Amino acid sequence: MRVIVLGCGRLGSRIANMLDGEGHQVAIIDRDAETFEKLRPAFAGERIVGFGYDRHVLEQARLDRADAFVAATTGDNRNLVAALAAKRRFRVPIVVARIYDPDRAQIFLAHGIRTVSPVRWSAGTIRDILLHSAIEAEQQFGNGEVAQIRVEVPPQLYGRAVQDVTVPGDIAVSVIVRSGRAILPTLGMRFEAGDVARFVVAREAYGRFEAFLGMRG
């Protein structure tokens, strides 16, 4: 995965170091070159000095070839402008922006930009969004260790029992909505076409959860 990170502060540098250490291609942008000192000594990604909402800087970062863009500066407005450019002009598939004012989240979401608040989220949670983009959590618990996820049950699960996708301690089905009626499922209950299920999933089990639902190979 190729990821462009805007802002090499505490959060941006942690995301960049984390993804770089896992072998992803990372480019990080900051207007102050001294902030790059926060990157780990073995950081193999690109360091770009400039303003992340400047089109020429984003072109230098080859944003048009990126799989994901993270706006992690300390300014909500800067993050919004850069995220909109990534989403609209460069058509980056996954765009995430940090916001300090959670009340503004709907503005970002209206443009297809997923948001994180530093009060409730961590660098690890942003990483999960980038690497597991098909998963959209309705609610996070604790520090993001567990999430509730709404899923329109896919055809490959029709006729299968709840117990087939239950992994004790990792994955559980909490509610199934069928024909507008909410049901607390038993392990033997079978999924049907049109079901909408709420799963409770541990962060470490995201990959397995995606495999259950056919979100990945």
Side-chain angles (χ1 to χ4, degrees), residues 163-186:
Q163 64 186 0
D164 294 337
V165 293
T166 298
V167 181
D170 283 336
I171 302 172
V173 182
S174 57
V175 177
I176 293 176
V177 177
R178 178 173 296 166
S179 300
R181 178 171 173 264
I183 306 168
L184 292 176
T186 63

PDB file of all heavy atoms in Angstrom, residues 163-186:
ATOM      1  N   GLN A 163     -23.185 -19.558  14.545  1.00  0.00           N
ATOM      2  CA  GLN A 163     -21.996 -20.172  15.162  1.00  0.00           C
ATOM      3  C   GLN A 163     -20.849 -20.335  14.166  1.00  0.00           C
ATOM      4  O   GLN A 163     -19.684 -20.417  14.558  1.00  0.00           O
ATOM      5  CB  GLN A 163     -22.348 -21.529  15.768  1.00  0.00           C
ATOM      6  CG  GLN A 163     -22.797 -22.583  14.784  1.00  0.00           C
ATOM      7  CD  GLN A 163     -23.261 -23.854  15.473  1.00  0.00           C
ATOM      8  OE1 GLN A 163     -23.235 -23.942  16.702  1.00  0.00           O
ATOM      9  NE2 GLN A 163     -23.702 -24.835  14.701  1.00  0.00           N
ATOM     10  N   ASP A 164     -21.174 -20.358  12.861  1.00  0.00           N
ATOM     11  CA  ASP A 164     -20.135 -20.515  11.846  1.00  0.00           C
ATOM     12  C   ASP A 164     -19.232 -19.288  11.728  1.00  0.00           C
ATOM     13  O   ASP A 164     -18.111 -19.394  11.219  1.00  0.00           O
ATOM     14  CB  ASP A 164     -20.759 -20.803  10.474  1.00  0.00           C
ATOM     15  CG  ASP A 164     -21.467 -22.149  10.422  1.00  0.00           C
ATOM     16  OD1 ASP A 164     -21.131 -23.018  11.241  1.00  0.00           O
ATOM     17  OD2 ASP A 164     -22.355 -22.319   9.555  1.00  0.00           O
ATOM     18  N   VAL A 165     -19.740 -18.133  12.161  1.00  0.00           N
ATOM     19  CA  VAL A 165     -18.938 -16.916  12.087  1.00  0.00           C
ATOM     20  C   VAL A 165     -18.646 -16.367  13.483  1.00  0.00           C
ATOM     21  O   VAL A 165     -18.292 -15.198  13.635  1.00  0.00           O
ATOM     22  CB  VAL A 165     -19.632 -15.836  11.226  1.00  0.00           C
ATOM     23  CG1 VAL A 165     -19.696 -16.268   9.780  1.00  0.00           C
ATOM     24  CG2 VAL A 165     -21.023 -15.516  11.755  1.00  0.00           C
ATOM     25  N   THR A 166     -18.806 -17.202  14.481  1.00  0.00           N
ATOM     26  CA  THR A 166     -18.518 -16.803  15.861  1.00  0.00           C
ATOM     27  C   THR A 166     -17.168 -17.359  16.284  1.00  0.00           C
ATOM     28  O   THR A 166     -16.896 -18.549  16.129  1.00  0.00           O
ATOM     29  CB  THR A 166     -19.602 -17.318  16.822  1.00  0.00           C
ATOM     30  OG1 THR A 166     -20.869 -16.732  16.459  1.00  0.00           O
ATOM     31  CG2 THR A 166     -19.276 -16.949  18.260  1.00  0.00           C
ATOM     32  N   VAL A 167     -16.309 -16.466  16.771  1.00  0.00           N
ATOM     33  CA  VAL A 167     -15.004 -16.868  17.301  1.00  0.00           C
ATOM     34  C   VAL A 167     -14.934 -16.332  18.725  1.00  0.00           C
ATOM     35  O   VAL A 167     -14.820 -15.113  18.922  1.00  0.00           O
ATOM     36  CB  VAL A 167     -13.847 -16.296  16.456  1.00  0.00           C
ATOM     37  CG1 VAL A 167     -12.504 -16.749  17.028  1.00  0.00           C
ATOM     38  CG2 VAL A 167     -13.979 -16.710  14.996  1.00  0.00           C
ATOM     39  N   PRO A 168     -15.054 -17.189  19.728  1.00  0.00           N
ATOM     40  CA  PRO A 168     -15.072 -16.710  21.116  1.00  0.00           C
ATOM     41  C   PRO A 168     -13.901 -15.775  21.419  1.00  0.00           C
ATOM     42  O   PRO A 168     -12.752 -16.090  21.122  1.00  0.00           O
ATOM     43  CB  PRO A 168     -14.972 -18.013  21.927  1.00  0.00           C
ATOM     44  CG  PRO A 168     -15.619 -19.033  21.030  1.00  0.00           C
ATOM     45  CD  PRO A 168     -15.188 -18.652  19.637  1.00  0.00           C
ATOM     46  N   GLY A 169     -14.237 -14.620  21.958  1.00  0.00           N
ATOM     47  CA  GLY A 169     -13.215 -13.642  22.311  1.00  0.00           C
ATOM     48  C   GLY A 169     -12.822 -12.723  21.176  1.00  0.00           C
ATOM     49  O   GLY A 169     -12.125 -11.726  21.403  1.00  0.00           O
ATOM     50  N   ASP A 170     -13.275 -13.015  19.947  1.00  0.00           N
ATOM     51  CA  ASP A 170     -12.877 -12.205  18.796  1.00  0.00           C
ATOM     52  C   ASP A 170     -14.054 -11.680  17.967  1.00  0.00           C
ATOM     53  O   ASP A 170     -14.109 -10.509  17.616  1.00  0.00           O
ATOM     54  CB  ASP A 170     -11.952 -13.003  17.866  1.00  0.00           C
ATOM     55  CG  ASP A 170     -10.538 -13.123  18.386  1.00  0.00           C
ATOM     56  OD1 ASP A 170     -10.125 -12.250  19.185  1.00  0.00           O
ATOM     57  OD2 ASP A 170      -9.838 -14.077  18.012  1.00  0.00           O
ATOM     58  N   ILE A 171     -14.999 -12.560  17.621  1.00  0.00           N
ATOM     59  CA  ILE A 171     -16.101 -12.185  16.740  1.00  0.00           C
ATOM     60  C   ILE A 171     -17.408 -12.749  17.286  1.00  0.00           C
ATOM     61  O   ILE A 171     -17.475 -13.944  17.603  1.00  0.00           O
ATOM     62  CB  ILE A 171     -15.892 -12.715  15.306  1.00  0.00           C
ATOM     63  CG1 ILE A 171     -14.579 -12.188  14.707  1.00  0.00           C
ATOM     64  CG2 ILE A 171     -17.063 -12.307  14.398  1.00  0.00           C
ATOM     65  CD1 ILE A 171     -14.210 -12.832  13.372  1.00  0.00           C
ATOM     66  N   ALA A 172     -18.431 -11.889  17.373  1.00  0.00           N
ATOM     67  CA  ALA A 172     -19.746 -12.337  17.828  1.00  0.00           C
ATOM     68  C   ALA A 172     -20.823 -11.551  17.082  1.00  0.00           C
ATOM     69  O   ALA A 172     -20.599 -10.419  16.666  1.00  0.00           O
ATOM     70  CB  ALA A 172     -19.905 -12.139  19.330  1.00  0.00           C
ATOM     71  N   VAL A 173     -21.969 -12.186  16.897  1.00  0.00           N
ATOM     72  CA  VAL A 173     -23.121 -11.507  16.291  1.00  0.00           C
ATOM     73  C   VAL A 173     -24.021 -11.046  17.429  1.00  0.00           C
ATOM     74  O   VAL A 173     -24.517 -11.868  18.199  1.00  0.00           O
ATOM     75  CB  VAL A 173     -23.899 -12.452  15.348  1.00  0.00           C
ATOM     76  CG1 VAL A 173     -25.066 -11.698  14.701  1.00  0.00           C
ATOM     77  CG2 VAL A 173     -22.976 -13.027  14.271  1.00  0.00           C
ATOM     78  N   SER A 174     -24.235  -9.744  17.538  1.00  0.00           N
ATOM     79  CA  SER A 174     -25.021  -9.221  18.654  1.00  0.00           C
ATOM     80  C   SER A 174     -26.495  -9.062  18.313  1.00  0.00           C
ATOM     81  O   SER A 174     -27.362  -9.299  19.159  1.00  0.00           O
ATOM     82  CB  SER A 174     -24.455  -7.875  19.118  1.00  0.00           C
ATOM     83  OG  SER A 174     -24.434  -6.948  18.048  1.00  0.00           O
ATOM     84  N   VAL A 175     -26.795  -8.649  17.080  1.00  0.00           N
ATOM     85  CA  VAL A 175     -28.184  -8.407  16.666  1.00  0.00           C
ATOM     86  C   VAL A 175     -28.339  -8.736  15.187  1.00  0.00           C
ATOM     87  O   VAL A 175     -27.435  -8.475  14.393  1.00  0.00           O
ATOM     88  CB  VAL A 175     -28.603  -6.940  16.896  1.00  0.00           C
ATOM     89  CG1 VAL A 175     -30.030  -6.703  16.395  1.00  0.00           C
ATOM     90  CG2 VAL A 175     -28.495  -6.548  18.351  1.00  0.00           C
ATOM     91  N   ILE A 176     -29.484  -9.301  14.828  1.00  0.00           N
ATOM     92  CA  ILE A 176     -29.857  -9.458  13.424  1.00  0.00           C
ATOM     93  C   ILE A 176     -31.189  -8.750  13.221  1.00  0.00           C
ATOM     94  O   ILE A 176     -32.138  -8.961  13.983  1.00  0.00           O
ATOM     95  CB  ILE A 176     -29.980 -10.942  13.020  1.00  0.00           C
ATOM     96  CG1 ILE A 176     -28.605 -11.619  13.052  1.00  0.00           C
ATOM     97  CG2 ILE A 176     -30.609 -11.076  11.632  1.00  0.00           C
ATOM     98  CD1 ILE A 176     -28.647 -13.109  12.751  1.00  0.00           C
ATOM     99  N   VAL A 177     -31.232  -7.889  12.206  1.00  0.00           N
ATOM    100  CA  VAL A 177     -32.484  -7.223  11.853  1.00  0.00           C
ATOM    101  C   VAL A 177     -33.038  -7.908  10.610  1.00  0.00           C
ATOM    102  O   VAL A 177     -32.378  -7.949   9.570  1.00  0.00           O
ATOM    103  CB  VAL A 177     -32.272  -5.719  11.593  1.00  0.00           C
ATOM    104  CG1 VAL A 177     -33.586  -5.073  11.157  1.00  0.00           C
ATOM    105  CG2 VAL A 177     -31.725  -5.035  12.849  1.00  0.00           C
ATOM    106  N   ARG A 178     -34.239  -8.461  10.752  1.00  0.00           N
ATOM    107  CA  ARG A 178     -34.860  -9.219   9.655  1.00  0.00           C
ATOM    108  C   ARG A 178     -36.269  -8.678   9.431  1.00  0.00           C
ATOM    109  O   ARG A 178     -37.078  -8.666  10.355  1.00  0.00           O
ATOM    110  CB  ARG A 178     -34.883 -10.707  10.003  1.00  0.00           C
ATOM    111  CG  ARG A 178     -35.544 -11.608   8.964  1.00  0.00           C
ATOM    112  CD  ARG A 178     -35.366 -13.061   9.336  1.00  0.00           C
ATOM    113  NE  ARG A 178     -33.946 -13.454   9.320  1.00  0.00           N
ATOM    114  CZ  ARG A 178     -33.465 -14.577   9.847  1.00  0.00           C
ATOM    115  NH1 ARG A 178     -34.291 -15.419  10.477  1.00  0.00           N
ATOM    116  NH2 ARG A 178     -32.173 -14.853   9.769  1.00  0.00           N
ATOM    117  N   SER A 179     -36.512  -8.199   8.235  1.00  0.00           N
ATOM    118  CA  SER A 179     -37.826  -7.630   7.893  1.00  0.00           C
ATOM    119  C   SER A 179     -38.218  -6.519   8.865  1.00  0.00           C
ATOM    120  O   SER A 179     -39.366  -6.417   9.293  1.00  0.00           O
ATOM    121  CB  SER A 179     -38.892  -8.726   7.875  1.00  0.00           C
ATOM    122  OG  SER A 179     -38.571  -9.716   6.913  1.00  0.00           O
ATOM    123  N   GLY A 180     -37.218  -5.722   9.276  1.00  0.00           N
ATOM    124  CA  GLY A 180     -37.474  -4.595  10.159  1.00  0.00           C
ATOM    125  C   GLY A 180     -37.559  -4.939  11.625  1.00  0.00           C
ATOM    126  O   GLY A 180     -37.757  -4.044  12.456  1.00  0.00           O
ATOM    127  N   ARG A 181     -37.399  -6.218  11.969  1.00  0.00           N
ATOM    128  CA  ARG A 181     -37.516  -6.656  13.367  1.00  0.00           C
ATOM    129  C   ARG A 181     -36.159  -7.082  13.900  1.00  0.00           C
ATOM    130  O   ARG A 181     -35.452  -7.883  13.275  1.00  0.00           O
ATOM    131  CB  ARG A 181     -38.496  -7.825  13.449  1.00  0.00           C
ATOM    132  CG  ARG A 181     -38.682  -8.407  14.839  1.00  0.00           C
ATOM    133  CD  ARG A 181     -39.820  -9.415  14.860  1.00  0.00           C
ATOM    134  NE  ARG A 181     -39.905 -10.104  16.129  1.00  0.00           N
ATOM    135  CZ  ARG A 181     -39.361 -11.305  16.368  1.00  0.00           C
ATOM    136  NH1 ARG A 181     -38.716 -11.946  15.397  1.00  0.00           N
ATOM    137  NH2 ARG A 181     -39.476 -11.867  17.552  1.00  0.00           N
ATOM    138  N   ALA A 182     -35.778  -6.525  15.053  1.00  0.00           N
ATOM    139  CA  ALA A 182     -34.497  -6.858  15.665  1.00  0.00           C
ATOM    140  C   ALA A 182     -34.599  -8.157  16.457  1.00  0.00           C
ATOM    141  O   ALA A 182     -35.563  -8.371  17.205  1.00  0.00           O
ATOM    142  CB  ALA A 182     -34.030  -5.729  16.574  1.00  0.00           C
ATOM    143  N   ILE A 183     -33.592  -9.019  16.275  1.00  0.00           N
ATOM    144  CA  ILE A 183     -33.583 -10.329  16.936  1.00  0.00           C
ATOM    145  C   ILE A 183     -32.231 -10.535  17.615  1.00  0.00           C
ATOM    146  O   ILE A 183     -31.181 -10.282  17.031  1.00  0.00           O
ATOM    147  CB  ILE A 183     -33.797 -11.463  15.905  1.00  0.00           C
ATOM    148  CG1 ILE A 183     -35.074 -11.225  15.093  1.00  0.00           C
ATOM    149  CG2 ILE A 183     -33.810 -12.816  16.587  1.00  0.00           C
ATOM    150  CD1 ILE A 183     -35.181 -12.138  13.879  1.00  0.00           C
ATOM    151  N   LEU A 184     -32.275 -11.024  18.862  1.00  0.00           N
ATOM    152  CA  LEU A 184     -31.050 -11.469  19.523  1.00  0.00           C
ATOM    153  C   LEU A 184     -30.813 -12.908  19.077  1.00  0.00           C
ATOM    154  O   LEU A 184     -31.568 -13.811  19.454  1.00  0.00           O
ATOM    155  CB  LEU A 184     -31.192 -11.383  21.042  1.00  0.00           C
ATOM    156  CG  LEU A 184     -31.283  -9.968  21.629  1.00  0.00           C
ATOM    157  CD1 LEU A 184     -31.522 -10.040  23.127  1.00  0.00           C
ATOM    158  CD2 LEU A 184     -29.999  -9.196  21.334  1.00  0.00           C
ATOM    159  N   PRO A 185     -29.790 -13.145  18.274  1.00  0.00           N
ATOM    160  CA  PRO A 185     -29.645 -14.468  17.657  1.00  0.00           C
ATOM    161  C   PRO A 185     -29.091 -15.530  18.601  1.00  0.00           C
ATOM    162  O   PRO A 185     -28.336 -15.239  19.525  1.00  0.00           O
ATOM    163  CB  PRO A 185     -28.657 -14.204  16.524  1.00  0.00           C
ATOM    164  CG  PRO A 185     -27.806 -13.088  17.045  1.00  0.00           C
ATOM    165  CD  PRO A 185     -28.749 -12.214  17.833  1.00  0.00           C
ATOM    166  N   THR A 186     -29.495 -16.769  18.347  1.00  0.00           N
ATOM    167  CA  THR A 186     -28.878 -17.926  18.993  1.00  0.00           C
ATOM    168  C   THR A 186     -27.765 -18.412  18.067  1.00  0.00           C
ATOM    169  O   THR A 186     -27.700 -18.033  16.891  1.00  0.00           O
ATOM    170  CB  THR A 186     -29.893 -19.056  19.193  1.00  0.00           C
ATOM    171  OG1 THR A 186     -30.351 -19.503  17.901  1.00  0.00           O
ATOM    172  CG2 THR A 186     -31.082 -18.579  20.018  1.00  0.00           C
TER     173      THR A 186
END
